[in-house]
Amino acid sequence: GLVDAYYYLCTILSFVFFLVLFLSASGQDAHSIQESGRDVFDINERVEMGTMAKLFFNKVGVTLYYICICVYLYGDLAIYAVAVPKALVNAVCGAPPKGPSPSNSSNMSLDFDYNSMLSSQSEESDVQLTWADESNHTSTHYCFGHVTDHQAYWLFLSIFAVAVGPFTFFDVQKTKLLQIFTIVMRYTAFLAMVILAFIHLHKRGSIDLPKAAVVDGVPNMFGVAVYSFMCQHSLPSLVTPIKNKSALSKVFALDFLLIFVFYFLVGFSAVLAFPVDQLEDEYSNQFGTAIASAGISYFLRLFPVFVLSTNFPIISITLRNNLKSLFLNPDQQYSFVIDRMLFPILALAPPIVVAFATQNLTLLVGYTGSYAGAGVQYIIPTALVFCARRYVPVLSGQPYMNKHQSPFKARFWLVAVLVWTTVCIGFVTVNHIINH
């Protein structure tokens, strides 16, 4: 009924409003109007979101922008820091069958939610399972020797922090090869998961139709939807190098439509092929040797390790630089300890601490996307577009024509995005309060 309608509306409108904001953002290079002899809206210079914020916002607005982007990047790094060691544990230790869930009495409890369909892995590796009396709802899964899966997770997280963390203290340049590697890995993994899910569905011969909507999942759904399409902070780097920008809006609209179709295929195949209550929060862990060959299974389990490990240093450096922009005066010189030691540690330490405290990826993605992500994806771009449209006439003193003009140029769309964002954040907050 109403819940089903709201669920579908959330998914569709989140994508639509994202597209609206992207296509509406063409006027944000308006500062170039001060230069003569060129079109006002030529996009020849890369202008990052931080530069736009300083151009259009007052001091309070700039501070709020950097706080929002830093919180989002902290959440991003925490998700990466959890996903990589969790994937390593699943690949090395195998997957224990579902049984009595661990007690939730501890605030620092680590909730592994492995799929019972992957339990065949425990037969291939030297894994021992010992279950305590069901009355106290505790269980121990031994990974290797006397090391439990929780201890293995902490071990892999420590190795990850030591191996990848030091890159935060330096600058990473010429990332083209890393980006190509990441793209190839992502496409290979996504296609493999879609194909394997449909093969598994064909072998099953039947479909367990899930509920049309689950109201408790709406907050996380909104957070994941925001997180999945998050790319605003990277758009200047994507748009500026394109030589022919005459069809820029159409090209990117088609691009994001294809992304939406790809996400739909992954999600649709997942809910049809597997019972919803047995889906992993890290979906690549869904494909054990009962579903895929050993090589493909381990590739998919290690997929987050390959991809996220290469992205982690880039994002941590971005966070470090944003923290400097928030707290330091660019016109003042600072000591080596503050500039090259303190801020890298401030960028690196909190995500690692969070990763030691929880393995709940669904929770991290939900909160990161629902709050900080909504600010970066909806609120900040809306404010930038609004200010840019007011800024150009003031500088030019005459009517202007934006050759990249968006079909969503009416002010109604900006208001609609803000109203939609407010409704979603309000719904998410109320739902979190009710459930917790």
Side-chain angles (χ1 to χ4, degrees):
L2 291 176
V3 173
D4 296 4
Y6 182 84
Y7 191 86
Y8 295 129
L9 196 63
C10 277
T11 305
I12 296 171
L13 288 184
S14 293
F15 172 72
V16 169
F17 283 137
F18 164 79
L19 199 58
V20 167
L21 274 180
F22 174 78
L23 296 178
S24 300
S26 301
Q28 293 176 10
D29 196 31
H31 71 289
S32 61
I33 196 170
Q34 295 173 329
E35 300 181 18
S36 59
R38 55 173 288 194
D39 192 309
V40 172
F41 295 98
D42 279 342
I43 307 176
N44 298 318
E45 178 184 351
R46 188 176 71 182
V47 183
E48 301 291 352
M49 286 184 67
T51 304
M52 297 180 199
K54 292 176 180 178
L55 179 66
F56 297 131
F57 297 161
N58 58 24
K59 186 175 181 180
V60 174
V62 172
T63 301
L64 290 176
Y65 161 78
Y66 279 111
I67 290 175
C68 186
I69 194 72
C70 287
V71 171
Y72 170 76
L73 292 174
Y74 270 127
D76 215 9
L77 290 176
I79 291 167
Y80 284 19
V82 170
V84 171
K86 193 171 181 180
L88 287 170
V89 169
N90 192 277
V92 174
C93 305
K98 284 187 176 181
S101 59
S103 173
N104 292 326
S105 59
S106 173
N107 292 330
M108 300 289 284
S109 63
L110 300 175
D111 299 322
F112 264 80
D113 184 22
Y114 290 106
N115 192 309
S116 60
M117 297 180 68
L118 300 178
S119 59
S120 59
Q121 289 299 305
S122 61
E123 299 173 2
E124 300 178 8
S125 57
D126 186 17
V127 177
Q128 303 175 12
L129 299 176
T130 60
W131 301 90
D133 186 273
E134 293 188 5
S135 61
N136 58 23
H137 301 290
T138 60
S139 62
T140 301
H141 174 217
Y142 286 100
C143 181
F144 44 85
H146 296 287
V147 178
T148 66
D149 51 4
H150 293 173
Q151 293 168 338
Y153 170 84
W154 292 327
L155 174 62
F156 288 132
L157 176 56
S158 301
I159 294 174
F160 173 78
V162 172
V164 180
F167 287 100
T168 310
F169 293 83
F170 306 97
D171 291 318
V172 177
Q173 298 177 345
K174 296 182 180 180
T175 60
K176 182 178 179 180
L177 292 178
L178 284 178
Q179 294 174 12
I180 293 174
F181 172 78
T182 301
I183 290 172
V184 172
M185 295 292 289
R186 287 185 187 277
Y187 274 105
T188 303
F190 281 173
L191 287 173
M193 288 187 287
V194 171
I195 293 171
L196 288 172
F198 279 117
I199 291 175
H200 179 67
L201 176 62
H202 176 72
K203 289 181 178 180
R204 285 181 60 191
S206 62
I207 299 175
D208 295 330
L209 290 177
K211 296 180 180 179
V214 180
V215 67
D216 290 343
V218 171
N220 286 328
M221 186 278 300
F222 176 67
V224 170
V226 170
Y227 195 80
S228 298
F229 286 99
M230 179 64 67
C231 65
Q232 273 77 351
H233 51 292
S234 301
L235 288 180
S237 300
L238 293 174
V239 173
T240 307
I242 298 176
K243 292 182 179 180
N244 183 9
K245 300 182 176 69
S246 59
L248 197 60
S249 296
K250 294 179 181 178
V251 169
F252 275 90
L254 178 61
D255 181 35
F256 287 110
L257 180 61
L258 291 175
I259 293 171
F260 178 78
V261 171
F262 218 120
Y263 277 141
F264 178 81
L265 278 175
V266 173
F268 187 73
S269 61
V271 297
L272 290 181
F274 306 101
V276 175
D277 60 347
Q278 293 184 359
L279 282 173
E280 293 284 344
D281 57 358
E282 197 171 329
Y283 184 55
S284 58
N285 288 337
Q286 195 75 33
F287 302 92
T289 52
I291 301 175
S293 65
I296 295 177
S297 176
Y298 276 99
F299 165 74
L300 290 177
R301 294 188 197 186
L302 293 174
F303 163 67
V305 179
F306 300 138
V307 174
L308 302 185
S309 295
T310 59
N311 286 345
F312 189 94
I314 298 174
I315 296 177
S316 63
I317 291 171
T318 302
L319 174 58
R320 181 200 69 192
N321 294 337
N322 278 280
L323 288 172
K324 288 183 179 180
S325 299
L326 177 61
F327 293 107
L328 300 183
N329 184 347
D331 299 325
Q332 182 177 342
Q333 292 290 332
Y334 294 91
S335 66
F336 176 84
V337 173
I338 293 177
D339 186 53
R340 304 300 298 178
M341 298 297 292
L342 176 61
F343 279 90
I345 292 174
L346 289 177
L348 181 63
I352 299 299
V353 171
V354 170
F356 272 106
T358 180
Q359 295 179 37
N360 195 329
L361 279 174
T362 303
L363 181 69
L364 290 173
V365 172
Y367 276 103
T368 301
S370 297
Y371 295 102
V376 175
Q377 180 158 298
Y378 292 124
I379 299 175
I380 292 174
T382 301
L384 289 173
V385 170
F386 176 77
C387 293
R389 289 177 179 175
R390 296 180 60 188
Y391 190 66
V392 176
V394 170
L395 285 180
S396 63
Q398 58 186 2
Y400 64 92
M401 177 59 67
N402 183 357
K403 63 183 179 182
H404 300 299
Q405 182 172 270
S406 164
F408 306 105
K409 58 182 178 294
R411 185 170 295 184
F412 162 79
W413 291 106
L414 299 182
V415 176
V417 170
L418 291 179
V419 170
W420 170 248
T421 305
T422 302
V423 170
C424 286
I425 292 178
F427 186 88
V428 167
T429 303
V430 171
N431 195 274
H432 280 311
I433 293 173
I434 292 175
N435 289 336
H436 301 289

